[in-house]
Amino acid sequence: MEAANEPVNGGSVQIRTENNERRKLPNFLQSVNMKYVKLGYHYLITHLFKLCLVPLMAVLVTEISRLTTDDLYQIWLHLQYNLVAFIFLSALAIFGSTVYIMSRPRSVYLVDYSCYLPPESLQVKYQKFMDHSKLIEDFNESSLEFQRKILERSGLGEETYLPEALHCIPPRPTMMAAREESEQVMFGALDKLFENTKINPRDIGVLVVNCSLFNPTPSLSAMIVNKYKLRGNVKSFNLGGMGCSAGVISIDLAKDMLQVHRNTYAVVVSTENITQNWYFGNKKAMLIPNCLFRVGGSAILLSNKGKDRRRSKYKLVHTVRTHKGAVEKAFNCVYQEQDDNGKTGVSLSKDLMAIAGEALKANITTLGPLVLPISEQILFFMTLVTKKLFNSKLKPYIPDFKLAFDHFCIHAGGRAVIDELEKNLQLSQTHVEASRMTLHRFGNTSSSSIWYELAYIEAKGRMKKGNRVWQIAFGSGFKCNSAVWMALNNVKPSVSSPWEHCIDRYPVKLDF
């Protein structure tokens, strides 16, 4: 087939085919011009107050420069004659300032964090996964083929990890094996954290642990208290059943505790347990987690001490939590149950992505006014009013969150989750790179995935002072939760980063 290019008015291009069919290509020049128009509008609105302040300050400086010695003397005499009023207003200002300083929320700093890196012996390649599934003999041919297809399209690589109990033939999903997995992950992450920060575990005032599907007695938080001999009055919490978004919930809880308890540290541990939650049945909706979930965990050290600001990596700016549990479809879309043969697993509904979209919409509706520049809020409001009053078919304006955040840590729940957020939030490949590479290298590590993603951004040397990071995660219930952080310095990767020995290989090209 022959093709000829013909320029047309307006700078666009037409392509003529053998059948004389003409098809216009996009006018890229126009789209680039619109981009700069929008950027110009954004900067104008953002700095409008400053621009208005400049002439006012110029007039004020001019007037002050004209004051003579006699004028200044007259002002002093006026103050002397009104000394009582002056003292009263000064005292009122001092009292108001003191009340504001004492009642304002305490700053919460992220001193450091660590992510657990399992030993290479626990890595599971595609072929090993399929070979073991066949040897277990619990899966029929249809289920094996289904898992193979899910694996190929999942976005997971060949270096993800499964617990030791699932490498055995037959697997041994015992209570002891599940405890061993939790201890390896939690203690592995905490050992690194305490080593890197030089914090004495007895200085910890608040401990929050989240694990959705494994909640033994004594609790996971009690296991940590026992291991590190934390003090007797530590405020410990153990969150269960809250899904992949529980990491942000734990941060929010720790933040609230640090508002109440002065001059202390809080440790947040986010993990999931796979040993006792592997599904050995043939219901396809319950087989998907087998293909996606992998071993991982994180430990985060937070502080409300002013002296820790200098050595901290980030400051917590906002947390926003959204719960759609009042809606039946949302409540049931991620549901632990037994199949017809009594095999326990977690079932994922076909409506999951639609429900996640509704939860995301509700979450960013609350988050937007807190983080978006005024230019985006005006555009959103104007579009909303126009839609209501004049044109009901007008598409709602999607705020540009790239103007509010420099980095995005989207929960690596699966390729579909990342694809949808990339599309709906109009993000670039670079914005979702950390999420895709985390999914490829570590799989879905549940609530800890957002920390592996943050570690990736740091390992790439992209986190600069003043940068804002948006961590967003989805979980059963159904929940969508966000945390916003601001980098206090040019952040370097932590010692023993999970990406330490492999960052040069990433990003990798993904073929779907």
Side-chain angles (χ1 to χ4, degrees):
M1 178 177 73
E2 297 180 358
N5 292 344
E6 299 179 3
V8 296
N9 293 335
S12 60
V13 176
Q14 288 185 338
I15 295 181
R16 177 179 291 175
T17 63
E18 288 179 340
N19 300 326
N20 291 323
E21 296 176 348
R22 292 174 182 238
R23 176 169 55 88
K24 281 191 177 183
L25 291 179
N27 190 333
F28 296 108
L29 180 61
Q30 185 179 7
S31 64
V32 170
N33 288 339
M34 284 303 297
K35 173 185 175 182
Y36 285 108
V37 167
K38 185 175 180 182
L39 282 175
Y41 163 76
H42 164 64
Y43 287 125
L44 175 64
I45 297 297
T46 302
H47 301 290
L48 184 61
F49 179 73
K50 296 177 184 176
L51 292 173
C52 294
L53 202 59
V54 169
L56 182 62
M57 290 298 296
V59 172
L60 187 62
V61 170
T62 303
E63 290 298 320
I64 291 174
S65 65
R66 292 176 180 175
L67 291 175
T68 64
T69 306
D70 289 338
D71 294 329
L72 294 173
Y73 181 69
Q74 290 298 322
I75 293 173
W76 170 248
L77 289 177
H78 183 73
L79 287 175
Q80 282 185 320
Y81 292 139
N82 296 275
L83 187 60
V84 174
F86 177 71
I87 293 175
F88 174 76
L89 291 175
S90 299
L92 189 63
I94 293 171
F95 176 76
S97 300
T98 303
V99 170
Y100 170 75
I101 292 171
M102 296 297 292
S103 62
R104 67 178 179 174
R106 293 186 178 89
S107 295
V108 174
Y109 303 109
L110 192 161
V111 180
D112 204 353
Y113 66 97
S114 65
C115 298
Y116 176 65
L117 181 64
E120 289 187 15
S121 59
L122 297 184
Q123 287 184 356
V124 54
K125 297 183 182 296
Y126 286 180
Q127 193 57 51
K128 183 177 182 179
F129 181 96
M130 293 308 303
D131 289 344
H132 276 220
S133 296
K134 291 177 182 177
L135 291 172
I136 293 172
E137 297 182 351
D138 284 309
F139 306 112
N140 58 35
E141 287 299 322
S142 176
S143 296
L144 289 170
E145 179 62 17
F146 177 77
Q147 290 182 87
R148 184 188 65 78
K149 289 180 178 179
I150 292 294
L151 273 177
E152 290 176 352
R153 301 169 186 171
S154 65
L156 273 68
E158 298 275 6
E159 297 177 296
T160 60
Y161 305 90
L162 284 176
E164 186 176 348
L166 295 179
H167 284 265
C168 302
I169 301 294
R172 50 182 187 90
T174 63
M175 175 63 75
M176 181 179 292
R179 281 184 178 274
E180 288 174 358
E181 179 193 346
S182 291
E183 289 175 353
Q184 289 170 4
V185 174
M186 295 191 305
F187 299 163
L190 285 167
D191 285 346
K192 287 182 184 177
L193 181 68
F194 292 141
E195 181 182 353
N196 293 346
T197 59
K198 310 302 180 187
I199 291 291
N200 184 338
R202 292 191 63 83
D203 291 335
I204 304 301
V206 179
L207 173 65
V208 184
V209 181
N210 68 268
C211 181
S212 191
L213 294 173
F214 181 60
N215 293 283
T217 298
S219 66
L220 298 180
S221 60
M223 290 163 62
I224 293 173
V225 172
N226 176 260
K227 165 72 175 179
Y228 296 98
K229 309 305 177 188
L230 302 189
R231 64 197 197 202
N233 64 345
V234 64
K235 305 297 184 292
S236 66
F237 302 87
N238 201 98
L239 307 183
M242 305 194 79
C244 300
S245 68
V248 177
I249 296 173
S250 296
I251 293 292
D252 185 55
L253 174 57
K255 177 198 74 174
D256 290 343
M257 295 300 295
L258 289 175
Q259 298 304 310
V260 178
H261 301 280
R262 295 172 176 269
N263 203 38
T264 191
Y265 292 107
V267 166
V268 172
V269 178
S270 294
T271 186
E272 191 51 85
N273 190 287
I274 298 177
T275 298
Q276 283 198 322
N277 295 287
W278 198 257
Y279 176 60
F280 295 98
N282 292 291
K283 186 176 179 179
K284 289 182 172 57
M286 299 169 74
L287 283 168
I288 297 174
N290 286 10
C291 304
L292 298 178
F293 281 87
R294 296 293 183 265
V295 172
S298 60
I300 304 98
L301 178 65
L302 303 176
S303 172
N304 59 8
K305 301 180 181 182
K307 67 178 183 180
D308 282 324
R309 179 186 172 91
R310 293 185 63 184
R311 69 166 181 154
S312 296
K313 288 187 170 186
Y314 304 95
K315 177 182 176 181
L316 182 60
V317 183
H318 299 292
T319 53
V320 174
R321 293 167 56 179
T322 302
H323 205 310
K324 305 293 287 185
V327 180
E328 287 300 319
K329 277 190 175 182
F331 178 76
N332 292 310
C333 71
V334 180
Y335 203 86
Q336 187 178 27
E337 61 183 0
Q338 290 182 324
D339 64 14
D340 295 338
N341 297 315
K343 302 290 181 67
T344 302
V346 177
S347 177
L348 303 182
S349 166
K350 293 180 180 179
D351 300 322
L352 178 59
M353 291 312 302
I355 292 165
E358 289 298 316
L360 172 65
K361 187 190 301 182
N363 189 266
I364 64 177
T365 299
T366 304
L367 181 67
L370 299 175
V371 298
L372 285 170
I374 190 66
S375 58
E376 286 298 290
Q377 296 191 45
I378 291 174
L379 280 176
F380 178 79
F381 177 74
M382 290 174 60
T383 306
L384 183 65
V385 171
T386 304
K387 179 179 173 66
K388 292 288 185 182
L389 298 180
F390 303 107
N391 185 1
S392 60
K393 295 183 180 179
L394 182 69
K395 289 185 177 180
Y397 178 72
I398 300 175
D400 188 354
F401 280 91
K402 298 187 291 294
L403 296 174
F405 304 113
D406 302 283
H407 306 285
F408 296 79
C409 296
I410 301 166
H411 166 54
R415 195 187 64 156
V417 174
I418 301 171
D419 287 347
E420 282 300 310
L421 265 74
E422 178 185 4
K423 175 184 175 182
N424 291 331
L425 297 177
Q426 300 174 355
L427 304 179
S428 68
Q429 286 290 325
T430 303
H431 289 129
V432 297
E433 181 183 310
S435 300
R436 292 197 190 281
M437 296 308 106
T438 295
L439 182 64
H440 180 271
R441 176 65 181 85
F442 296 101
N444 181 350
T445 59
S446 190
S447 56
S448 65
S449 69
I450 53 178
W451 298 103
Y452 286 88
E453 293 162 15
L454 189 59
Y456 178 89
I457 297 169
E458 293 177 2
K460 283 294 182 181
R462 296 173 183 171
M463 191 64 68
K464 306 301 180 184
K465 183 177 181 179
N467 281 180
R468 289 198 170 202
V469 190
W470 182 13
Q471 292 180 321
I472 183 165
F474 302 90
S476 58
F478 190 84
K479 298 178 285 291
C480 176
N481 299 318
S482 295
V484 179
W485 304 88
M486 183 180 71
L488 298 174
N489 301 288
N490 294 338
V491 181
K492 297 180 181 179
S494 302
V495 178
S496 303
S497 165
W499 299 94
E500 186 176 14
H501 300 297
C502 63
I503 192 62
D504 293 336
R505 294 191 279 118
Y506 284 90
V508 297
K509 185 179 178 181
L510 301 176
D511 298 318
F512 299 116

